[in-house]
Amino acid sequence: MKTKLTFLILIIIGFYNQFHSQLKSNDTLKVCTEIKEYNFSGQKIAVLKREKWSAGQVLKVKFLGGDNFLQSKVKQYAVEWSKHCSIKLEFITSGTAQIRVNFLAGKGSWSIIGKASQTYSINPETNESYFSNDGTTMNFGWFNSDTPDIEFSRTVIHEFGHALGLIHEHQSPSAAIPWDIPKVYQYYQETQGWSKDEVDNNIFFRYSRGSTQHSSYDRYSIMHYAIPAYLLLDESFSVGWNTSLSDLDKSYISTIYPIATKKPKRPKNNNDDSHVGDVRGGIH
Ligand SMILES: [Zn+2]
């Protein structure tokens, strides 16, 4: 079990295509993609349940680059998930961190999924993983001083969703998107330079119900790709750019990492309820 876990890693890699002029829309530029690596036996395992952290865990986050502005924007939006679950983030400047953030320009935006980041890092030059707890586990490759807040929100929350173990929503077992398959192959070949296998892997592959915990399909999830109508057989399934947590994102993460609810204190003396549920003094 330990061996399987050790050699399993799921990585999200985003590619920043710099050839703007070749694209039909700038919206296609910043696509986060998945690369999966398997253990030495070649056995394919997509076990996102195993990539979950423990509820209530405090994850240490360390920056390996970036100026104060970029770091402050990541801090600002990364904590959005923590408002709705029991995972907390602690930003540190020294020591070992479970999430190690870099800002390598042109290297895409991506994150290791979940707790594999404790033992693995990614080589940004090759997008390959290696055994290390001090290399990059998350990269933001298209942020700069001109990046608008809405883009910080969209990308930071998305990548930290991966860091918490979440996969892309369009690859959820509950997704049933009516892709126009030949158009999808052509579109991602032209806009991202993807091979057929890469399109299969990043678009059409769906995780099994057994390997994941999942909500009902949520087109408004921050973890969803934008899907233009012309890639679909039914245009009503098109998805825009989601830039903040959806209502279902918020409720779902609260079930994955539940916030412990304290039982109300019972008075030792049943006749004395003066301190039970009395919050009036603190609310005005
Ligand atoms: Zn992603």
Side-chain angles (χ1 to χ4, degrees):
M1 181 72 82
K2 181 97 187 293
T3 305
K4 279 186 178 178
L5 186 60
T6 301
F7 294 111
L8 166 73
I9 189 168
L10 298 171
I11 311 158
I12 300 288
I13 301 290
F15 293 99
Y16 180 40
N17 188 323
Q18 301 185 30
F19 300 101
H20 294 211
S21 61
Q22 296 179 10
L23 303 177
K24 294 174 182 174
S25 162
N26 282 346
D27 285 351
T28 61
L29 290 174
K30 296 158 184 172
V31 174
C32 189
T33 64
E34 294 192 9
I35 293 175
K36 303 171 190 66
E37 295 186 0
Y38 309 117
N39 65 20
F40 288 155
S41 71
Q43 186 180 2
K44 181 176 178 178
I45 325 170
V47 280
L48 301 185
K49 285 177 181 174
R50 288 185 179 177
E51 300 306 333
K52 281 176 58 180
W53 304 94
S54 300
Q57 203 163 346
V58 178
L59 305 183
K60 292 183 177 178
V61 184
K62 187 163 70 173
F63 292 109
L64 304 183
D67 59 23
N68 287 342
F69 173 71
L70 295 182
Q71 292 182 3
S72 71
K73 287 300 174 185
V74 171
K75 286 180 181 177
Q76 177 181 343
Y77 291 105
V79 297
E80 283 298 306
W81 291 104
S82 297
K83 296 176 181 175
H84 309 281
C85 72
S86 59
I87 296 290
K88 303 301 176 194
L89 304 179
E90 178 188 354
F91 291 88
I92 63 172
T93 56
S94 62
T96 303
Q98 290 113 323
I99 300 172
R100 301 174 295 278
V101 180
N102 223 328
F103 298 89
L104 301 166
K107 299 300 181 186
S109 291
W110 38 261
S111 171
I112 288 178
I113 297 180
K115 66 181 183 182
S117 65
Q118 291 184 126
T119 43
Y120 285 93
S121 300
I122 304 301
N123 179 340
E125 299 300 326
T126 62
N127 291 338
E128 292 178 347
S129 62
Y130 61 101
F131 193 72
S132 166
N133 67 355
D134 62 6
T136 301
T137 68
M138 179 184 293
N139 192 58
F140 295 104
W142 54 71
F143 287 170
N144 56 50
S145 58
D146 296 325
T147 301
D149 262 78
I150 198 165
E151 180 61 16
F152 281 122
S153 175
R154 181 181 82 88
T155 307
V156 172
I157 299 173
H158 180 101
E159 299 306 344
F160 272 85
H162 287 316
L164 265 54
L166 302 182
I167 59 170
H168 285 144
E169 181 67 8
H170 71 273
Q171 294 181 296
S172 161
S174 55
I177 298 168
W179 299 105
D180 188 331
I181 292 173
K183 283 186 183 173
V184 173
Y185 282 129
Q186 182 181 358
Y187 174 81
Y188 284 103
Q189 200 284 323
E190 290 178 355
T191 62
Q192 303 294 327
W194 289 356
S195 66
K196 184 175 180 294
D197 282 349
E198 286 172 308
V199 175
D200 288 342
N201 195 42
N202 295 308
I203 304 294
F204 299 132
F205 171 77
R206 286 163 60 209
Y207 290 94
S208 69
R209 291 184 182 276
S211 67
T212 58
Q213 278 181 256
H214 55 275
S215 67
S216 56
Y217 174 66
D218 178 17
R219 68 192 301 171
Y220 301 109
S221 172
I222 191 72
M223 303 311 294
H224 209 306
Y225 268 27
I227 302 178
Y230 56 84
L231 294 183
L232 299 167
L233 298 173
D234 178 347
E235 294 188 355
S236 69
F237 280 79
S238 65
V239 177
W241 286 97
N242 298 330
T243 58
S244 60
L245 293 176
S246 69
D247 289 342
L248 194 52
D249 283 334
K250 295 173 185 175
S251 61
Y252 178 58
I253 202 68
S254 74
T255 65
I256 299 296
Y257 299 115
I259 297 171
T261 53
K262 292 179 181 175
K263 293 180 180 177
K265 289 182 180 177
R266 297 187 69 85
K268 292 176 183 174
N269 180 338
N270 285 340
N271 294 325
D272 176 13
D273 64 352
S274 60
H275 65 287
V276 178
D278 183 1
V279 295
R280 287 168 295 177
I283 298 177
H284 299 281

